[in-house]
């Protein structure tokens, strides 16, 4: 509703980045983590495209995690865990790609740094973080006024601080290097790589 039906199309901009990462590799050897997977819509897109990828979703909400697990049940290599993104129950470097979609605008500033560090910890050397969330102030000046008024329509206590967050600095502090950035309507997708052989 928030995105007037465009959310799945915008999520696909993140999928394009994951696809770029899988290209030329055996998908069975690729492990993807979706942090705050919600009801699993992104992982469903991923599994539709790459049905043998090893996919893990994590979400704090038991109800969302359950719905995501149901949505993904037909793929044996997909799983969902109920977990806090601040402290995820996976080993260092366990994933080739860690994705997060529409999470960071919901986090208090202090927690944004913790979750970014956690995602950086979980990708292997040479691995990739795919970040997707709301566009920010100045990304499209025609939409600045709408972004400013958005938190007044809904309960979004951290959105205003998100709009002003320097995302590149946030990820740079975790030791990751920026690769790409693109805008997809109301969504910004950016990728950050951990140093090391790919
Ligand atoms: C706006 S929804 C986005 C969900 C999903 N990524 C999508 O694209 O539909 C934000 C999600 O973040 C989850 N969430 C919020 N704080 C979290 C945390 N600390 N750890 C894990 N998940 C969290 C919520 O339960 C919710 O599913």
């Amino acid at each position: 509703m928030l995105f007037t039906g465009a959310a799945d199309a915008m999520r696909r901009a993140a999928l394009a980045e994951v696809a770029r990462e899988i290209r030329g590799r055996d998908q069975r050897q690729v492990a993807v983590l979706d942090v705050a997977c919600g009801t699993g819509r992104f992982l469903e897109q991923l599994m539709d495209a790459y049905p043998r990828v090893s996919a893990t979703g994590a979400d704090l909400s038991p109800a969302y995690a359950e719905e995501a697990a149901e949505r993904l049940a037909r793929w044996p290599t997909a799983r969902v865990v109920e977990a806090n993104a601040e402290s995820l129950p996976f080993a260092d470097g366990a994933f080739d790609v860690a994705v997060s979609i529409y999470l960071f605008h919901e986090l208090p500033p202090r927690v944004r740094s913790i979750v970014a560090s956690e995602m950086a910890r979980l990708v292997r050397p040479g691995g990739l973080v795919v970040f997707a969330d709301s566009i920010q102030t100045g990304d499209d000046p025609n939409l600045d006024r709408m972004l400013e008024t958005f938190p007044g329509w809904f309960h979004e206590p951290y959105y205003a601080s998100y709009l002003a967050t320097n995302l590149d600095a946030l990820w740079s502090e975790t030791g990751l290097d920026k690769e790409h950035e693109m805008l997809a309507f109301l969504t910004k997708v950016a990728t950050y790589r951990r140093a090391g052989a790919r």
Side-chain angles (χ1 to χ4, degrees):
M1 185 195 76
L2 271 181
F3 291 128
T4 60
D8 274 343
M10 294 190 288
R11 288 187 187 97
R12 275 196 287 280
L15 181 62
E17 294 296 343
V18 179
R20 196 199 305 265
E21 205 59 12
I22 296 174
R23 191 172 302 147
R25 300 180 56 188
D26 178 348
Q27 61 177 271
R28 293 169 299 182
Q29 306 301 323
V30 178
V32 177
L33 170 67
D34 184 1
V35 177
C37 65
T39 57
R41 294 188 75 105
F42 175 75
L43 287 179
E44 183 177 37
Q45 290 183 351
L46 176 71
M47 300 311 289
D48 269 338
Y50 300 99
R52 301 183 81 179
V53 153
S54 167
T56 302
D59 201 279
L60 189 60
S61 156
Y64 281 1
E66 188 182 332
E67 188 170 330
E70 278 166 23
R71 190 184 296 280
L72 298 167
R74 65 195 150 115
W75 289 287
T77 58
R79 64 176 170 156
V80 178
V81 299
E82 189 191 317
N84 188 340
E86 293 174 61
S87 174
L88 289 163
F90 309 114
D92 295 1
F95 297 93
D96 299 286
V97 183
V99 181
S100 183
I101 302 177
Y102 307 136
L103 169 65
F104 278 66
H105 76 274
E106 300 208 341
L107 301 176
R110 184 185 60 82
V111 177
R112 272 180 218 131
S113 303
I114 295 170
V115 173
S117 298
E118 188 64 348
M119 290 178 68
R121 175 183 78 77
L122 290 170
V123 289
R124 65 167 170 77
L128 192 73
V129 164
V130 178
F131 168 92
D133 209 314
S134 165
I135 56 171
Q136 296 177 292
T137 308
D139 283 335
D140 180 345
N142 293 319
L143 296 173
D144 280 353
R145 179 81 188 113
M146 191 203 69
L147 300 183
E148 215 178 284
T149 50
F150 172 73
W153 307 334
F154 301 97
H155 180 67
E156 294 283 359
Y158 305 113
Y159 189 78
S161 75
Y162 166 82
L163 288 181
T165 297
N166 183 335
L167 294 172
D168 289 349
L170 179 80
W171 290 102
S172 166
E173 278 159 24
T174 72
L176 302 188
D177 298 319
K178 187 169 190 185
E179 286 206 337
H180 303 121
E181 178 175 315
M182 66 166 294
L183 303 184
F185 186 34
L186 299 172
T187 298
K188 167 158 40 194
V189 178
T191 58
Y192 300 89
R193 190 172 297 280
R194 185 169 165 188
R198 293 203 193 173

